[in-house]
Amino acid sequence: MQTTLVVLLIIDAIALITLVILQSGKSAGLSGAISGGAEQLFGKQKARGLDLFLHRGTIVTGVILFILTFLLAYVLQ
């Protein structure tokens, strides 16, 4: 059980890293980080197509990583 959870955790971590790297940047440099951060925070820019898939995939793999980490901690106790 412990080995299975560790393997799943590693696979999920690699998938999460890959999804984050594949996402396109939402801001254009420093000025975009200052002014564009509010637009991204309040949802004025909607993700479409591949960006939407990557965004949702990142959320799902992040939640799975969170759950697997807690399950592994529970199993190790």
Side-chain angles (χ1 to χ4, degrees):
M1 178 80 174
Q2 178 182 350
T3 307
T4 305
L5 285 174
V6 170
V7 170
L8 288 174
L9 190 65
I10 291 171
I11 291 170
D12 189 53
I14 292 171
L16 183 61
I17 291 168
T18 305
L19 287 172
V20 168
I21 290 174
L22 288 176
Q23 288 183 7
S24 61
K26 302 285 191 257
S27 62
L30 185 59
S31 63
I34 295 170
S35 64
E39 290 179 9
Q40 183 180 354
L41 180 63
F42 298 115
K44 291 184 180 177
Q45 294 178 341
K46 299 268 182 180
R48 292 193 174 98
L50 182 61
D51 285 334
L52 179 63
F53 174 76
L54 292 173
H55 178 71
R56 288 184 179 164
T58 303
I59 293 171
V60 169
T61 54
V63 169
I64 292 171
L65 186 82
F66 186 76
I67 292 169
L68 285 174
T69 304
F70 275 101
L71 281 175
L72 186 61
Y74 180 75
V75 167
L76 289 176
Q77 268 187 341

